[in-house]
Amino acid sequence: MPREVQLTRDGYQRLLKELEQERERLSEATRILQELMESSDDYDDSGLEDAKREKARIEARIDTLEDTLSRAAILEESAGRSDLVTLGAVVNLEDDHGGKMQVRVVSPAEATVLEVPMKISDESPMGKALLGRKKGEKLLLDTPKGKREFKIVSVEA
């Protein structure tokens, strides 16, 4: 039985949008490949091979997205606030140097550092360390810059 993938509602919508974009890219890649096949001669087929590889990459990404979405279970937003860090929670952190950071703990399928708040995987070192913790707790993490201590300032469910 395929393993369920827990996604936030926003994450599910983002993956749906990405799937639609990849389908559009596939349509364009297929069109380009057909044009190259019709105009290709035996002496120069490097462009044709590149087009085939690109089409295969897009198809693989579509397969991955469809698989993830077919196994998705959307996390229900809980009303109010909770002090316990769970999947989908937004956590405000303060590091030992007074720096502030806001992260949302999500499944690996929707993790991205390009959004605000940054979406970290529950399987990442920070995600694992945060799950089950409460407001006010401190955690020590190994980072590329050495060990850093973080305090959980607040948790929003």
Side-chain angles (χ1 to χ4, degrees), residues 62-123:
I62 288 172
D63 288 346
T64 299
L65 288 167
E66 287 176 341
D67 177 61
T68 299
L69 291 167
S70 72
R71 296 183 292 121
I74 298 175
L75 295 170
E76 294 302 319
E77 306 282 329
S78 58
R81 298 170 64 104
S82 168
D83 286 342
L84 187 66
V85 179
T86 58
L87 199 62
V90 175
V91 184
N92 290 294
L93 301 164
E94 188 173 297
D95 68 16
D96 49 358
H97 302 296
K100 296 182 187 306
M101 176 182 355
Q102 186 180 58
V103 298
R104 185 170 193 170
V105 182
V106 297
S107 69
E110 64 176 299
T112 178
V113 296
L114 302 176
E115 294 182 19
V116 176
M118 180 171 46
K119 293 180 179 172
I120 61 166
S121 167
D122 62 335
E123 295 179 8

